[in-house]
Amino acid sequence: MPETQVAATPKRDTLVIIPMYNEKENASAIIDAVLSLPEQNFDVLVIDDNSPDGTADIVRGKIAEHPGRVFMVERAGKLGLGTAYIAGFKWALAHENNYQYVCEMDADFSHNPNDLMKLRGAIASGRGDVAVGSRYLTGVNVVNWPMGRVLMSYYASKYVRFVTRMPVHDTTAGFVCYSRRVLEDFDLDAVRFKGYAFQIEMKFTAHQMKYKVCEVPIVFVNRMLGTSKMSSGIFGEALFGVIRLKWNSIFHPKKRRSEKA
């Protein structure tokens, strides 16, 4: 009898990095939501910072349930959002799947997993090299945030745009997709900021390197479960850090590797 040919499972080309700290209420559901997207192009990498609530155990269950689609990097403790994403970027670039698109998103459903397809599609279609899920491209699309927090976030983005001259409305957004070539061109070890100013630095560096940063309108919904990690100090880091970014860019502009040669 002829041997039965088993079709090889196609490798997915997109990795979604989700930092988690005490997200036991959301961990299972957010992973399932990403994996169930119609395009089936998405794998998930969780960066867990030693959550004491058992988040990592939940993720291990998902790894067993979806082998080859869910992964986890466990760190010793809370080391900052920026370092979590840097660890994820390095992991993505080194992985055998050769991911062509790398996304970052929150674990708490404030970012709609369905919008991942729009972010990836914006890069795949050539609209940009970096696609930002923008809360402020078409007004203020934020649901269930206190007015003070909305105003702080909105005007922080306006301020960053004014100082950096980036053509980006939502400069502090944390829902972003990068093409592989952008991340390969970054000196990831040189990224300075650890908190939410990291989001500004990544976009500004890509802009400096003449990569196209495009925006995709989304609706941001405040978390329903778990505890927010946001604070006024986080915004303070972003507001003061952007001046340093702009100043350094004048004297030490970031260039693509091809321009350095």
Side-chain angles (χ1 to χ4, degrees):
M1 296 180 63
E3 293 184 7
T4 302
Q5 297 293 323
V6 178
T9 302
K11 289 184 178 179
R12 288 155 297 280
D13 63 8
T14 309
L15 182 71
V16 182
I17 303 171
I18 309 178
M20 293 190 186
Y21 182 77
N22 287 348
E23 291 288 357
K24 67 178 182 180
E25 296 93 346
N26 296 303
S28 178
I30 193 69
I31 292 171
D32 286 344
V34 173
L35 297 187
S36 65
L37 291 172
E39 290 186 359
Q40 294 289 306
N41 277 318
F42 302 90
D43 288 347
V44 173
L45 172 66
V46 171
I47 311 293
D48 180 75
D49 276 0
N50 196 25
S51 301
D53 70 344
T55 295
D57 290 332
I58 295 171
V59 177
R60 288 188 197 97
K62 289 298 173 183
I63 292 172
E65 185 179 343
H66 303 283
R69 294 203 65 189
V70 181
F71 309 93
M72 179 166 58
V73 171
E74 296 182 71
R75 307 199 301 172
K78 293 185 71 175
L79 302 174
L81 182 73
T83 65
Y85 279 126
I86 293 298
F89 294 153
K90 289 181 177 179
W91 189 98
L93 293 176
H95 196 268
E96 62 182 10
N97 276 15
N98 193 35
Y99 295 107
Q100 296 303 300
Y101 310 94
V102 181
C103 302
E104 53 177 63
M105 71 179 296
D106 292 347
D108 59 9
F109 286 93
S110 55
H111 302 143
N112 186 340
N114 290 324
D115 289 332
L116 285 166
M117 294 185 292
K118 294 194 294 185
L119 295 180
R120 178 188 175 278
I123 297 177
S125 66
R127 282 183 54 200
D129 304 296
V130 178
V132 177
S134 179
R135 298 162 291 183
Y136 307 129
L137 182 62
T138 57
V140 179
N141 295 312
V142 177
V143 177
N144 292 335
W145 256 10
M147 183 55 66
R149 188 167 169 184
V150 172
L151 293 174
M152 183 166 58
S153 172
Y154 178 77
Y155 285 108
S157 281
K158 289 288 187 183
Y159 165 78
V160 172
R161 178 173 175 160
F162 173 76
V163 172
T164 63
R165 304 302 182 186
M166 275 194 295
V168 178
H169 293 81
D170 195 351
T171 56
T172 62
F175 194 21
V176 186
C177 185
Y178 297 89
S179 69
R180 181 185 186 89
R181 66 178 184 142
V182 172
L183 294 179
E184 286 178 332
D185 225 359
F186 268 58
D187 181 357
L188 294 173
D189 291 323
V191 177
R192 296 168 178 266
F193 293 108
K194 311 300 183 191
Y196 276 78
F198 160 84
Q199 303 292 3
I200 301 168
E201 183 174 2
M202 290 293 291
K203 297 179 188 70
F204 184 55
T205 302
H207 173 66
Q208 271 193 285
M209 295 166 68
K210 299 181 175 60
Y211 285 111
K212 185 176 180 182
V213 182
C214 68
E215 292 183 271
V216 175
I218 64 161
V219 176
F220 180 96
V221 180
N222 194 28
R223 70 161 62 230
M224 300 298 293
L225 299 171
T227 303
S228 173
K229 285 72 177 179
M230 185 65 70
S231 70
S232 58
I234 286 172
F235 277 106
E237 179 198 34
L239 289 176
F240 292 110
V242 71
I243 298 175
R244 193 189 325 164
L245 280 177
K246 181 62 177 178
W247 180 260
N248 288 338
S249 74
I250 296 172
F251 298 100
H252 306 286
K254 299 293 176 69
K255 296 181 179 180
R256 298 190 192 187
R257 290 179 181 174
S258 60
E259 294 177 317
K260 295 176 184 178

